[in-house]
Amino acid sequence: MRNNINGDFSIVEKISELKPGAIININWNKKKLMLPYSLKKDYISFTDKKWDWRYQFNKDGSPDINNPSLYELLPSGKVKAHFCQSEDKSSNL
């Protein structure tokens, strides 16, 4: 994840440091996705309206960074869920 304030693309060390304009790069299943941060109320989302990468919130209000979900928004209007798990368990995001 990187914040893109003034084009600096600074690395996000903690998910609480996300700012409007942030992006996430995802390499998954032979696809390279670069998704912009999308402000949502009920979860943290990065979406380009075809793919939606989400972090749900735990009961205590903290983001569940170890179990993100990737949703594929199909042309038919249906949504296909791809559930993921972080490879880096030591991440401080």
Side-chain angles (χ1 to χ4, degrees):
M1 282 183 250
R2 295 185 178 269
N3 281 323
N4 186 20
I5 303 296
N6 301 322
D8 64 357
F9 293 100
S10 63
I11 295 173
V12 174
E13 299 292 333
K14 294 183 180 177
I15 205 160
S16 61
E17 296 173 352
L18 280 174
K19 305 221 181 318
I23 59 168
I24 191 168
N25 291 309
I26 300 170
N27 294 323
W28 171 77
N29 202 24
K30 298 183 182 178
K31 293 178 181 22
K32 293 182 183 243
L33 307 173
M34 185 169 89
L35 306 175
Y37 179 46
S38 178
L39 299 173
K40 302 287 184 188
K41 177 181 165 190
D42 298 324
Y43 49 86
I44 296 170
S45 174
F46 294 83
T47 186
D48 65 358
K49 307 225 190 276
K50 180 176 180 186
W51 296 97
D52 190 356
W53 178 264
R54 295 180 188 174
Y55 294 100
Q56 299 295 329
F57 290 110
N58 293 313
K59 290 182 182 182
D60 67 1
S62 65
D64 183 0
I65 61 168
N66 292 320
N67 296 298
S69 299
L70 180 63
Y71 295 93
E72 186 176 356
L73 311 173
L74 303 172
S76 66
K78 293 186 179 184
V79 177
K80 183 176 181 181
H82 303 277
F83 295 97
C84 310
Q85 190 169 21
S86 175
E87 289 181 6
D88 183 4
K89 296 293 185 187
S90 64
S91 174
N92 63 353
L93 292 177

